[in-house]
Amino acid sequence: MRFIKFLDLISRYTESSDFFIIQRYFEKIYAIHYNARSWGDRILWYLYRALYGLIYFSYVYKTHWVLHHWQDSLSSANILGVLWFFSAVILRVVILEWHYPLMERLQTFLNDRSYQRDNPWAVAKRAQFYRRTNRLILGVMAINFVEIVCFTATNVMKLEDFMLQFRGTALGGWPVQIVYGVLTMCWGGMYCTGFMMCYLLMCIFKLEIDILLHSLEDLGKSVGSHQDLGSEDTFWNNIIDRLRPHMQRLEDLLIHLQHLKAVIGPIAYVQYYSTYLVIADCCFILASHGLSSYSIVYVISMTVFLTESFFLCQGVEHLRNLKLNVASVIYDFDWTLQMQSTNQRLASQYQHVKRTFLLITAQSDRTLHFSFAGIGEISMNSFAQLLEKSYSMLTFLLQFAK
């Protein structure tokens, strides 16, 4: 009964619907964030997180053992790759926890649908986004679950590198190793959930930007109609009252996008360099030992990391040209050519609107710059560079393997 109620909640959009409802569940499942309501809750939360911590320290121990008892390059690459991946996950979780109060403010802003609340197009657009996003998140988590099953059934049960070990020897029977393998792969779910938290913010910002642009286009068409331009008084009554909420929305979006940059920057930094190093590790394993039933996990890992990097860069591209897009819409207004002040009583209003348009147009070339924590700019060009470097590294390793 509760499950049916949950399905109805995530599939039926209302004005009070929470865009982040599913995300909040997976934040708890993957030990990213939880608002404890009592000391008992807090203790249980720390114990739950300690399970993941034990997995991490087990790989720290295995790395120490491998470095002091070097035997096989494949084994070393497996363990070092997992340790680096876990370290990247920890960095991402620390960044998210540090910025979580800011992210909550951004979520509150994006869940406020007071802007264009009565616009049927905006309501339909938000409802469509709400349903599609919830289905997509559930689909991604289902894929992650399949990956956990595949990893546990192949690598964990057949390769000692991924088993619980002490002094290079596996401990416990298959039930212990299955639990250990599942918890190990839950780190992958933690990484994907951390990315989802940031990407969902960017997607909702893009949704609100699209609604703003569409509303401005509608404004230009409606105010530009002949019946609205019958007299100068009618013209100014329309333009001042109807333009004000859109300009206020633009200002709010710009302010909150500046806050979003504080979250995306360090996350993108970890994403970029962890992607490069994980791809290096996976390429080394594939180049040295070829494709097998075990290597499918490495192919999936590279695909996931590259896909996340692509979506991150693409999401930033959709946000960085907000001023330019708004200026383009305003420039296409038919009635801007008819703006004139023949009545001194309306001169101040005329000057105010004209100054607003000029400022927006003048600043249209100032894009929002998202950077990798101050090092390089996030864009599709940076993703292309990542692909180029990854391909060069793969070809080098293939030559080395020969």
Side-chain angles (χ1 to χ4, degrees):
M1 187 67 180
R2 183 175 296 181
F3 180 70
I4 296 176
K5 184 178 179 180
F6 174 75
L7 290 179
D8 180 67
L9 187 65
I10 64 176
S11 60
R12 185 167 55 87
Y13 173 82
T14 64
E15 190 173 323
S16 60
S17 295
D18 182 7
F19 281 126
F20 307 92
I21 181 172
I22 298 182
Q23 170 189 303
R24 301 186 201 283
Y25 283 100
F26 286 106
E27 286 176 7
K28 301 181 185 74
I29 293 173
Y30 291 116
I32 295 177
H33 181 80
Y34 176 63
N35 292 320
R37 290 169 289 185
S38 65
W39 281 105
D41 280 354
R42 191 176 299 276
I43 291 173
L44 290 175
W45 174 247
Y46 287 150
L47 290 175
Y48 180 59
R49 273 189 159 181
L51 287 176
Y52 289 94
L54 290 174
I55 300 297
Y56 178 75
F57 285 115
S58 72
Y59 273 91
V60 172
Y61 172 77
K62 284 195 283 188
T63 301
H64 177 269
W65 178 264
V66 165
L67 293 178
H68 287 79
H69 302 81
W70 193 277
Q71 294 179 349
D72 183 16
S73 60
L74 174 62
S75 177
S76 303
N78 282 332
I79 294 174
L80 289 172
V82 173
L83 182 64
W84 167 250
F85 172 70
F86 283 0
S87 301
V89 174
I90 291 175
L91 283 174
R92 177 174 280 188
V93 172
V94 169
I95 292 169
L96 291 173
E97 280 281 41
W98 180 264
H99 290 97
Y100 203 85
L102 174 59
M103 295 178 67
E104 284 185 319
R105 293 198 296 272
L106 293 175
Q107 292 171 6
T108 301
F109 168 73
L110 294 172
N111 271 328
D112 179 12
R113 263 87 75 175
S114 57
Y115 175 71
Q116 295 297 82
R117 174 181 295 166
D118 300 324
N119 187 318
W121 186 89
V123 173
K125 195 75 173 176
R126 285 168 175 152
Q128 182 187 53
F129 177 87
Y130 179 77
R131 290 189 292 268
R132 286 185 176 180
T133 302
N134 288 338
R135 289 197 295 265
L136 180 62
I137 293 174
L138 291 177
V140 170
M141 292 306 165
I143 293 173
N144 182 254
F145 176 77
V146 172
E147 186 179 1
I148 290 175
V149 173
C150 293
F151 176 79
T152 305
T154 56
N155 296 48
V156 171
M157 301 305 296
K158 297 179 181 179
L159 292 178
E160 289 191 357
D161 304 333
F162 300 102
M163 295 181 182
L164 180 62
Q165 295 182 1
F166 181 72
R167 294 183 179 275
T169 304
L171 294 177
W174 64 267
V176 174
Q177 300 303 336
I178 287 179
V179 173
Y180 183 77
V182 169
L183 288 174
T184 299
M185 283 304 296
C186 281
W187 280 79
M190 191 186 304
Y191 194 85
C192 291
T193 303
F195 173 79
M196 177 189 69
M197 293 168 64
C198 297
Y199 186 65
L200 185 57
L201 286 172
M202 291 192 291
C203 288
I204 301 176
F205 267 110
K206 181 183 181 300
L207 170 68
E208 294 301 318
I209 289 172
D210 290 341
I211 292 174
L212 171 62
L213 296 176
H214 185 271
S215 302
L216 286 172
E217 290 174 355
D218 284 347
L219 175 64
K221 295 175 183 177
S222 61
V223 178
S225 60
H226 293 293
Q227 60 267 28
D228 288 334
L229 294 173
S231 68
E232 194 173 4
D233 287 339
T234 303
F235 174 81
W236 284 112
N237 287 335
N238 274 280
I239 189 60
I240 294 296
D241 294 337
R242 299 175 66 177
L243 189 61
R244 184 180 293 112
H246 304 303
M247 294 299 101
Q248 181 62 48
R249 185 62 172 179
L250 173 61
E251 182 181 354
D252 291 341
L253 285 172
L254 289 172
I255 291 173
H256 286 85
L257 281 172
Q258 292 295 331
H259 296 325
L260 180 66
K261 289 167 59 176
V263 181
I264 298 300
I267 289 292
Y269 180 85
V270 175
Q271 174 72 37
Y272 186 85
Y273 289 102
S274 62
T275 297
Y276 188 68
L277 291 176
V278 167
I279 288 177
D281 182 71
C282 293
C283 287
F284 173 77
I285 294 173
L286 293 174
S288 301
H289 299 82
L291 292 172
S292 65
S293 59
Y294 309 120
S295 60
I296 185 64
V297 174
Y298 306 116
V299 176
I300 293 175
S301 298
M302 288 192 296
T303 303
V304 169
F305 273 78
L306 286 174
T307 302
E308 287 189 1
S309 298
F310 171 78
F311 282 130
L312 178 67
C313 295
Q314 185 189 53
V316 168
E317 287 282 353
H318 290 153
L319 302 178
R320 62 202 302 262
N321 293 322
L322 171 58
K323 293 181 181 179
L324 176 61
N325 293 334
V326 171
S328 298
V329 172
I330 292 177
Y331 183 80
D332 291 335
F333 283 176
D334 295 333
W335 48 268
T336 53
L337 299 177
Q338 305 180 42
M339 286 178 59
Q340 55 184 346
S341 178
T342 58
N343 191 330
Q344 291 299 321
R345 181 171 54 86
L346 303 173
S348 61
Q349 296 164 301
Y350 167 76
Q351 293 295 335
H352 174 72
V353 174
K354 186 176 181 180
R355 189 184 303 111
T356 300
F357 287 173
L358 288 175
L359 285 174
I360 293 175
T361 305
Q363 296 179 3
S364 61
D365 60 337
R366 299 180 183 178
T367 59
L368 296 170
H369 294 286
F370 289 75
S371 65
F372 296 98
I375 305 175
E377 187 174 357
I378 306 173
S379 65
M380 291 305 295
N381 288 333
S382 59
F383 177 72
Q385 292 173 5
L386 176 63
L387 287 180
E388 183 180 357
K389 292 177 181 177
S390 300
Y391 179 75
S392 300
M393 177 176 53
L394 176 60
T395 54
F396 171 77
L397 290 174
L398 288 174
Q399 294 295 326
F400 180 76
K402 294 178 181 179

